[in-house]
Amino acid sequence: MSAPNVAASAPATEDGGADSEALQVLRRIFGYDAFRGSQQEVVEHVIGGGDALVLMPTGGGKSLCYQIPALVRSGVGVVISPLIALMQDQVDALRALGVRAGFLNSSQSLDERQLVEAEFAAGELDLLYLAPERLRVEATVRLLKRGTISLFAIDEAHCVAQWGHDFRPDYLALSALHEHWPEVPRIALTATATEATHAEITSRLALADARHFVASFDRPNIQYRIAPKDEPRKQLLHLLRTEHQGDAGIVYCLSRASVEKTAAYLVERGVEALPYHAGLDSRVRSENQSRFLREEGLVMVATIAFGMGIDKPDVRFVAHLDLPKSVEGYYQETGRAGRDGLPSTAWLAYGFQDVVQQRKMIETSEGDQAHRRRLAAHVDAMLALCETVECRRVQLLDYFGQKSEPCGNCDTCLVPPSSWDGTVAAQKFLSTVVRLQRERGQKFGATQITDILMGRKTAKVIQFDHDALSVFGVGAELSEAEWRSVARQLLAQRLVAVEGEYGTLVLTEDSGDVLGGRRSVALRRDPEKAARAARPAKASGGTGRKAAPADLPAELLPVFDRLRAWRAATAKEQGVPAYVVFHDATLREIAATAPTTLAELASVSGVGENKLATYGEQILELLATPPAEPAG
Ligand code: ADP
Ligand code: ZN
């Protein structure tokens, strides 16, 4: 009665088992040659009816882990996802592959919803995307009971964890899936996986009996860099101009105001940038998101409200202008760069003020003492990452419980910082704080203390007669930037604390040990110049602006450009993002292999059956037509 499932039309493999059927679907529908990493194991396990918890970094290939079992098993695969704004694109991408997909969420009209519901009940869907809040509606449960469900996929499963950074109360209700449909396999997936989050997902979704697949969290193509903050917008602009001209990227800022300011700053300087934050009108927000996904080379300046589930494959950089609240969040955000595996940059600027701001936000946050302690622990781990003299990647992976070797592709590997014995500097700094307080009954911020130590007779120093202090000028051996770094690190190590709205400095419980010589202080010396990538130079294309894919020889660029132009026109006509038509990597392979027959084209990675049928002839024709002669 129901329309045939896509996989049902695959050549019979009665004795070949699920294994080969899954592989056939991978090749035929998705156009990929082989599974990656643990994909095959996961797919087979779920096809066999087992529950699974999949921890895989962003870009690791989680989607296929549930899409293929949904195509192979009979019934509809139900995907729970919080990403309402992206469901349309996800469904479009699947439809472009010939997969029968639909979604149900609050953005739809009643008519649209009823249409999808009818398709579901008639078994005419392979995949149904659902917002979690839909499941709280009794009618949705009734609807689901009317159809056959092949599996439940719980995407972004970390949303169930309160320990994490994306908690969604609606996710807590997902534990009920198992009670309603005990025989339907569940696969939960996330790219966030500290041990604490992992444990919380397991217990809240009742996945203790599931098989757990933990992939390596390394993203080797992303270069991690953390720089001391010094006019962050200028630093950002420099990064864009010198390394990411014309590239698509995301810039994260903590506040809405700084999102607006930064976007305007970039636009004034000729960078195409758009703002995104929760305070914007929802129409503007979705328009900006859609432009970012559809157009090439746009920079999105956003709060962390932006990005979850954004599967644009060619985001070339993610920049943070403020300190992220946790390593988990940071890794998730930076992971949005380079899903296509090509070289990408994760760059963060961080300074004294960031620490002040974060600690203040925690102090004034709602929630009990335990909650605040948890937030503080998150920030401290982030600070440790910023101040490390070791490989950033080793630290990051260690945070996720994975051991690794120095990577050679992060700033500390490329330009190793040294550590130095900052005990005396710390003592000078702290005793200035003490003297101001004991001798004068005053509290000041880091700038004034630095001026005093450096022996600067600024207006404010003279006004308060601080040049008469015995510590005046005792720190002339360090530069201002160095004192700034000392202040930042003392704060990070909780050897000094900030108070009140002016950020005045006070001692902490541990300061006494440093002042009394019972504790030494190791500090990081910020490298003189920021690390620059040791990357293959980008070949410059005909336009001189667009970055060429790193491994494409110059003579193939014109073909690649024509393919891109064709893709842009095709995507526009269909109202979908360009990557829904073909990924860059696929166009590159087409340019490089210059297929002349449909069969040759079919062997390119990313060209499946449906796309071959839809676009094959057009592509071959484009390749066979000589480029227009330039005029003159
Ligand atoms: P995740 O959801 O884990 O972030 P995706 O499922 O979006 O990752 O996959 C990341 C990218 O890798 C996508 O562009 C996808 O098409 C591609 N990909 C996934 N699995 C394979 C595979 N086996 N072969 C080739 N490309 C793959
Ligand atoms: Zn490294």
Side-chain angles (χ1 to χ4, degrees):
M1 178 188 77
S2 64
N5 189 295
V6 176
S9 59
T13 54
E14 298 305 319
D15 50 7
D19 172 351
S20 53
E21 205 175 337
L23 197 59
Q24 278 177 27
V25 172
L26 177 76
R27 295 193 172 137
R28 202 161 45 79
I29 311 283
F30 296 90
Y32 296 140
D33 284 345
F35 284 109
R36 269 190 197 158
S38 49
Q39 275 177 338
Q40 181 160 5
E41 266 183 289
V42 178
V43 164
E44 283 172 15
H45 180 71
V46 177
I47 288 175
D51 291 339
L53 174 54
V54 177
L55 311 181
M56 216 185 247
T58 311
K62 285 184 287 301
S63 326
L64 290 182
C65 292
Y66 59 84
Q67 287 167 349
I68 292 187
L71 291 169
V72 171
R73 286 175 64 89
S74 65
V76 186
V78 175
V79 185
I80 318 291
S81 162
L83 310 167
I84 294 175
L86 295 168
M87 284 183 182
Q88 183 71 57
D89 283 350
Q90 284 171 330
V91 163
D92 285 346
L94 286 164
R95 291 194 172 242
L97 296 168
V99 174
R100 302 168 308 170
F103 68 88
L104 288 176
N105 68 34
S106 53
S107 75
Q108 289 165 305
S109 69
L110 187 61
D111 282 355
E112 289 170 322
R113 212 147 59 208
Q114 282 173 344
L115 187 69
V116 177
E117 289 176 0
E119 284 177 330
F120 170 82
E124 287 165 6
L125 290 179
D126 303 308
L127 281 157
L128 174 67
Y129 285 75
L130 269 190
E133 58 270 20
R134 286 276 110 203
L135 283 171
R136 282 206 317 228
V137 183
E138 192 48 40
T140 309
V141 176
R142 274 202 308 274
L143 169 76
L144 293 184
K145 294 270 183 192
R146 278 164 59 205
T148 309
I149 298 174
S150 60
L151 59 83
F152 284 107
I154 302 167
D155 206 4
E156 313 289 353
H158 63 281
C159 290
V160 80
Q162 265 154 332
W163 161 260
H165 56 285
D166 275 326
F167 176 61
R168 313 252 170 148
D170 282 324
Y171 262 62
L172 293 175
L174 298 181
S175 58
L177 290 178
H178 200 40
E179 290 144 31
H180 280 294
W181 291 274
E183 72 295 346
V184 175
R186 295 170 304 151
I187 168 171
L189 312 101
T190 178
T192 298
T194 58
E195 275 165 36
T197 305
H198 184 168
E200 210 181 333
I201 296 173
T202 309
S203 72
R204 291 200 190 272
L205 293 178
L207 286 169
D209 295 332
R211 207 169 138 194
H212 293 210
F213 297 87
V214 183
S216 161
F217 266 67
D218 192 13
R219 297 288 311 281
N221 60 311
I222 300 180
Q223 183 173 85
Y224 291 93
R225 283 146 60 181
I226 301 179
K229 204 183 252 190
D230 177 23
E231 300 194 81
R233 291 193 186 108
K234 247 194 204 160
Q235 289 172 288
L236 171 69
L237 187 66
H238 179 76
L239 173 80
L240 300 193
R241 287 197 172 145
T242 54
E243 297 178 55
H244 289 290
Q245 187 85 356
D247 283 347
I250 306 174
V251 178
Y252 283 111
C253 303
L254 199 58
S255 72
R256 297 171 186 186
S258 96
V259 164
E260 298 277 354
K261 255 192 242 156
T262 306
Y265 173 92
L266 291 177
V267 169
E268 274 166 30
R269 281 154 191 83
V271 178
E272 279 192 82
L274 300 169
Y276 187 105
H277 58 72
L280 286 173
D281 183 75
S282 72
R283 238 186 31 250
V284 176
R285 219 165 48 211
S286 69
E287 159 85 17
N288 286 357
Q289 170 169 301
S290 155
R291 282 192 59 196
F292 178 71
L293 294 175
R294 281 164 178 70
E295 296 175 27
E296 295 191 37
L298 285 188
V299 174
M300 186 65 108
V301 185
T303 60
I304 54 169
F306 177 76
M308 203 206 295
I310 289 287
D311 54 4
K312 185 174 168 64
D314 56 353
V315 173
R316 291 273 71 83
F317 66 89
V318 170
H320 283 84
L321 292 194
D322 297 296
L323 186 72
K325 291 189 180 72
S326 72
V327 176
E328 280 188 87
Y330 170 72
Y331 204 60
Q332 184 107 326
E333 284 139 31
T334 54
R336 291 166 191 150
R339 293 166 89 105
D340 54 11
L342 297 174
S344 308
T345 309
W347 180 84
L348 158 67
Y350 128 89
F352 184 84
Q353 211 46 42
D354 285 300
V355 191
V356 174
Q357 196 170 20
Q358 291 282 2
R359 295 244 166 99
K360 196 146 76 188
M361 276 165 53
I362 292 170
E363 253 172 51
T364 57
S365 77
E366 290 171 18
D368 55 10
Q369 200 55 35
H371 177 64
R372 279 201 281 272
R373 260 204 306 278
R374 211 152 56 206
L375 295 179
H378 280 314
V379 170
D380 284 350
M382 195 60 222
L383 290 175
L385 175 69
C386 292
E387 303 292 6
T388 185
V389 293
E390 273 147 38
C391 171
R392 307 268 190 213
R393 198 178 311 267
V394 166
Q395 279 240 342
L396 279 166
L397 293 175
D398 187 58
Y399 191 76
F400 297 106
Q402 301 185 346
K403 294 275 162 262
S404 63
E405 294 296 312
C407 71
N409 190 27
C410 72
D411 56 353
T412 58
C413 280
L414 292 168
V415 183
S418 48
S419 69
W420 59 293
D421 183 351
T423 311
V424 173
Q427 286 168 340
K428 288 178 179 174
F429 194 94
L430 295 177
S431 57
T432 306
V433 175
V434 173
R435 271 166 216 285
L436 282 172
Q437 200 168 353
R438 294 228 183 106
E439 295 173 15
R440 306 286 183 89
Q442 296 168 339
K443 290 176 188 168
F444 277 88
T447 312
Q448 183 75 354
I449 290 173
T450 301
D451 286 340
I452 295 170
L453 285 165
M454 295 185 72
R456 287 175 161 171
K457 298 200 177 187
T458 63
K460 205 165 160 188
V461 165
I462 292 165
Q463 182 194 342
F464 289 96
D465 198 22
H466 285 166
D467 46 347
L469 290 167
S470 60
V471 287
F472 185 76
V474 299
E477 74 280 13
L478 297 185
S479 69
E480 184 182 339
E482 284 167 327
W483 277 118
R484 212 164 37 213
S485 166
V486 170
R488 191 187 73 214
Q489 297 187 62
L490 291 179
L491 186 62
Q493 295 188 26
R494 295 184 186 279
L495 292 173
V496 71
V498 192
E499 221 185 44
E501 61 178 309
Y502 299 110
T504 54
L505 297 178
V506 293
L507 298 190
T508 68
E509 279 173 19
D510 297 330
S511 312
D513 284 347
V514 176
L515 283 166
R518 291 180 298 277
R519 170 170 172 176
S520 61
V521 181
L523 296 178
R524 172 187 210 270
R525 192 185 301 284
D526 298 327
E528 298 249 314
K529 56 176 176 27
R532 271 289 307 270
R535 276 183 197 148
K538 287 174 177 171
S540 59
T543 62
R545 178 175 170 270
K546 275 280 172 288
D551 55 352
L552 202 64
E555 69 271 18
L556 292 179
L557 281 174
V559 187
F560 180 72
D561 283 343
R562 284 166 64 211
L563 286 166
R564 291 234 299 200
W566 166 82
R567 178 180 67 179
T570 307
K572 190 156 185 205
E573 198 179 289
Q574 302 178 357
V576 297
Y579 61 82
V580 165
V581 178
F582 282 124
H583 286 185
D584 271 4
T586 302
L587 292 191
R588 223 169 51 224
E589 197 179 324
I590 294 175
T593 55
T596 55
T597 63
L598 285 174
E600 282 170 18
L601 182 57
S603 71
V604 171
S605 178
V607 183
E609 184 174 81
N610 202 58
K611 289 191 178 172
L612 186 72
T614 317
Y615 306 125
E617 297 290 352
Q618 292 177 49
I619 299 260
L620 293 180
E621 198 176 318
L622 181 147
L623 293 175
T625 319
E629 285 293 322

